Amino acid sequence: MPTPQCSVIIPAYNAIEYLPAAIASVLIQQIDNIEILVCDDGSSDGTREWLQQASRHDRRVRVFEGNRLGPARARNYLIENANSEIIAFLDADDTWIAGKLSAEIDYHLKNTDVAFTFTDYRHVDMAGNLRSTCFGYWKPHWAKPDQVGFKVLDDAFNELLATNVVGTSCVVAKREFLRNANGFAEELPSAEDWDLWLKLAALGKVASSNVVTMHYLMRPGSETSNRAARISAMKTVLAQSGAAGAARWARRHARARIFSSKAQSRHKAGQRSMACLFGWISFLNRPDSRMLREALAFTKYFAMLPLSWYSSRPAGSK
């Protein structure tokens, strides 16, 4: 069997509801010389049985078993078992749009010094309704509307530290660079993807495309409990960025995102005064229109508290 052009990496845990669509979106890329590596991470919903059947029908599907490795370790495990030098990531609940992969493979073959590429993607809710795109929401200044094809970011490390617009399921990377970066940080409870993109950006070039190539499913769940772990991990990544020589402006922008996450977490918990405070700290670290709107929104919710709340607060309380 010839060496595959690309190895697709998919970690899966209790993903039977979504995984068939994810793998189908790989197969419609119409690239025969490809392998799809899926790690069933101890599922109990029939994911393993479905994968075994899928691998019998299509030899491009390779099934590996984990025992609650978690996404970072599962991806690293699959990377080490991949046969291609070009690695594409796909989460089990996301789907690719037809034509995504061939363009990225072609770009990597022609640009061997590029560590990884990524594209824009669109959010999709549970009802199947299309929402905003990532680039459309964050509006990174380097994503020019008239851009055609892939473009190398001039200051990728600082740009991605300041605003992480990289969707994991959009990334195609060189295995050599992934190994040199030591893969996903397994010790981080969250944000291990952001950490890896920064490590890769420090090792090689990064290129992006405005083309929407992936649908990201917005699943409800334990968002509040996960947010605390993500905030903690983001702080760790930001602390490490100083040793990597990050620019001051990029660190301030990253700090703004952390305080924004804190504000959202406090708002969800009903702690509106703290949400308002963190919202304005976020704006002070990144004084742009988006952070201003967010700070004003938290201020509005804080102002809507009943008068009894204010009268019940002891003098000088925080």
Side-chain angles (χ1 to χ4, degrees):
M1 183 176 178
T3 302
Q5 279 189 300
C6 180
S7 299
V8 181
I9 303 298
I10 306 177
Y13 173 68
N14 285 346
I16 190 60
E17 186 176 353
Y18 314 103
L19 184 60
I23 291 183
S25 77
V26 178
L27 299 178
I28 65 170
Q29 302 301 313
Q30 297 183 338
I31 301 175
D32 292 330
N33 191 17
I34 193 173
E35 63 176 0
I36 305 170
L37 290 77
V38 188
C39 179
D40 172 62
D41 204 14
S43 299
S44 58
D45 67 342
T47 294
R48 179 180 306 177
E49 293 77 10
W50 186 90
L51 280 170
Q52 290 171 345
Q53 183 177 8
S55 65
R56 287 194 293 267
H57 283 83
D58 193 326
R59 64 178 184 174
R60 291 173 294 182
V61 179
R62 300 175 58 199
V63 182
F64 297 82
E65 293 187 6
N67 185 19
R68 301 305 299 272
L69 298 175
R73 291 179 62 192
R75 291 192 186 102
N76 288 341
Y77 175 41
L78 295 178
I79 291 169
E80 288 307 308
N81 282 279
N83 291 313
S84 177
E85 290 303 315
I86 297 178
I87 307 294
F89 296 102
L90 178 62
D91 286 348
D93 52 359
D94 294 334
T95 54
W96 286 343
I97 296 172
K100 167 204 162 53
L101 203 53
S102 58
E104 290 185 78
I105 291 175
D106 184 62
Y107 182 84
H108 274 280
L109 292 175
K110 294 176 180 177
N111 298 273
T112 57
D113 57 345
V114 170
F116 79 95
T117 56
F118 67 99
T119 70
D120 197 0
Y121 63 91
R122 186 172 295 280
H123 297 84
V124 181
D125 64 23
M126 293 296 291
N129 299 309
L130 300 178
R131 300 298 186 183
S132 65
T133 69
C134 178
F135 289 7
Y137 181 78
W138 288 102
K139 295 179 172 54
H141 69 89
W142 41 262
K144 305 298 183 183
D146 57 349
Q147 177 184 324
V148 177
F150 285 92
K151 178 185 177 182
V152 173
L153 273 64
D154 291 332
D155 189 8
F157 182 85
N158 283 310
E159 294 290 0
L160 298 183
L161 176 65
T163 308
N164 179 24
V165 292
V166 181
T168 300
S169 296
C170 292
V171 170
V172 175
K174 299 285 199 322
R175 184 167 63 167
E176 175 188 1
F177 284 98
L178 290 170
R179 285 175 168 171
N180 290 341
N182 296 317
F184 292 90
E186 299 175 2
E187 71 278 7
L188 287 176
S190 181
E192 70 278 359
D193 51 351
W194 185 37
D195 173 73
L196 179 56
W197 314 146
L198 293 174
K199 290 188 294 187
L200 291 174
L203 294 173
K205 296 179 180 179
V206 179
S208 73
S209 168
N210 291 343
V211 176
V212 174
T213 67
M214 185 266 288
H215 286 161
Y216 171 80
L217 183 64
M218 300 184 297
R219 293 172 58 184
S222 54
E223 181 182 355
T224 302
S225 60
N226 289 339
R227 186 178 286 122
R230 185 162 185 84
I231 290 172
S232 175
M234 289 173 69
K235 289 180 179 178
T236 299
V237 175
L238 177 58
Q240 294 171 346
S241 71
R248 182 181 178 184
W249 67 267
R251 290 173 56 80
R252 286 179 62 87
H253 286 193
R255 194 174 297 116
R257 287 177 34 241
I258 292 174
F259 276 103
S260 175
S261 294
K262 286 184 174 183
Q264 294 170 28
S265 180
R266 294 303 178 97
H267 178 69
K268 289 280 188 180
Q271 301 172 3
R272 293 180 175 178
S273 60
M274 293 303 296
C276 180
L277 173 63
F278 287 145
W280 283 106
I281 293 176
S282 176
F283 171 73
L284 291 174
N285 277 278
R286 185 168 186 165
D288 59 21
S289 59
R290 184 183 179 280
M291 291 303 179
L292 176 60
R293 288 195 301 270
E294 186 173 277
L296 289 172
F298 288 127
T299 302
K300 174 185 176 182
Y301 286 119
F302 178 54
M304 290 170 60
L305 288 170
L307 290 177
S308 59
W309 185 89
Y310 298 97
S311 60
S312 65
R313 304 289 288 175
S317 64
K318 298 182 179 179

